[in-house]
Structure formats: C-alpha cells, structure tokens
Amino acid sequence: MSDQTPPVDEMQYERLAHEALRGVMRAALERVLSDGLPGAHHFYITFKTRAPGVSVAPDILAKYPDEMTVVLQHQYEDLRVEADKFSVKLRFGGMPKSLVIPYSAVTRFYDPSVQFLLQFEEPEIVEVVEETPAPPHDPSPASDGPKVVSLDQFRKK
C-alpha cells in the first residue's frame, strides 16, 4: 500500500469541462435564437425544477417536483438566451407558461435529429465535518445505551 495521497485537482478540470459543454448548449440556443431551428434539429432539455435560479409556474412545479424535460421544436415563444440562463415560453394544456432555466440546472441536452447528447452530473456535495473530541469516558453503570468507542488513538498520524 502506498503512503502517497492522490493529487488534488486545484484547477477543477471536471467543473471547467462541464462549463465548456454548457457553452455548447448555449451556443446552440443562440443559433436558434438568431436563425431558428435548422432542418430537423430540435432539443430535449432536462433540468432540475428546484435548482437555484429556476423559475416555473407553481402548477408545473407541483406536477414535476424534481426534474422535467421540455422540447424546443415547433411551438415555443420568447426564447431568450443569456450568459448563465435561458428563458422560453411553452404551452402546457394550451396555456402559455414562461420558464427560466439556468444552464447549471440542466442535466441533459439532447438533439435526437443527429443523436447528439450532453449529460451533466449533479456536482457531488461533500460535507465538511470537524471532529470534536470525544467526551471523557463515564464508567457510570446508569447508562444502558450503546457504547461509543473513539478510534482516533488507532489512526496513523
């Protein structure tokens, strides 16, 4: 077994790659904004409905509390493309509803006309927990609960 710790990616290449790929999605939407959808191209965009910055109508959120997929093909209006998000008006049950979707909320961008897929993993959230010293051992027999043993003394330092 090696005592070397793995190198730390201080450049955060994984995050940079995801941002670059989200730029591909933004560029595709910008092209649609300026020229319309060319040929048979259309987009299936899946996003987290409760991600920061997402804005959807309450009835849509109730129906899709975690994730939803929208299709940009024939019937969409008011497409707006910004540096960090896009917005569009789609019809749900015949009623127009506006959606605001940050690129960071998108989990999947798919153009089935050419089988082009971008899939984004949700970032892993690592919770930092500071170790607190274990309380002194109380030999009192009054406690019938489970016994906790600190393994700190056995760890290599």
Side-chain angles (χ1 to χ4, degrees):
M1 212 195 286
S2 173
D3 286 341
Q4 289 184 330
T5 58
V8 175
D9 180 10
E10 294 180 27
M11 292 297 293
Q12 299 180 349
Y13 285 114
E14 183 92 17
R15 182 183 58 81
L16 292 172
H18 279 265
E19 286 176 10
L21 290 173
R22 283 188 167 96
V24 170
M25 174 177 47
R26 182 179 60 247
L29 290 169
E30 286 172 341
R31 180 164 178 199
V32 169
L33 183 61
S34 65
D35 303 332
L37 281 162
H41 289 278
H42 57 290
F43 308 140
Y44 286 72
I45 302 172
T46 304
F47 64 98
K48 293 292 189 180
T49 55
R50 294 189 187 272
V54 170
S55 175
V56 297
D59 59 323
I60 302 295
L61 188 58
K63 191 171 182 179
Y64 302 97
D66 179 49
E67 191 172 75
M68 85 179 287
T69 300
V70 294
V71 180
L72 296 185
Q73 187 171 14
H74 300 299
Q75 297 181 355
Y76 64 91
E77 302 170 20
D78 296 334
L79 177 64
R80 293 195 177 128
V81 181
E82 297 178 37
D84 60 341
K85 65 186 171 201
F86 70 98
S87 60
V88 66
K89 189 180 292 182
L90 298 172
R91 295 192 176 273
F92 296 88
M95 299 296 297
K97 308 273 180 164
S98 292
L99 305 167
V100 177
I101 306 167
Y103 302 115
S104 60
V106 174
T107 58
R108 185 177 164 129
F109 177 86
Y110 180 55
D111 184 342
S113 69
V114 292
Q115 302 296 304
F116 180 76
L117 171 67
L118 294 174
Q119 188 138 359
F120 303 101
E121 301 273 332
E122 289 184 55
E124 184 178 332
I125 298 171
V126 178
E127 208 173 312
V128 177
V129 179
E130 289 186 28
E131 281 190 36
T132 56
H137 180 63
D138 182 8
S140 155
S143 172
D144 291 335
K147 304 292 186 240
V148 178
V149 177
S150 175
L151 299 177
D152 289 340
Q153 62 187 344
F154 302 107
R155 291 192 178 129
K156 290 183 181 180
K157 295 188 182 194

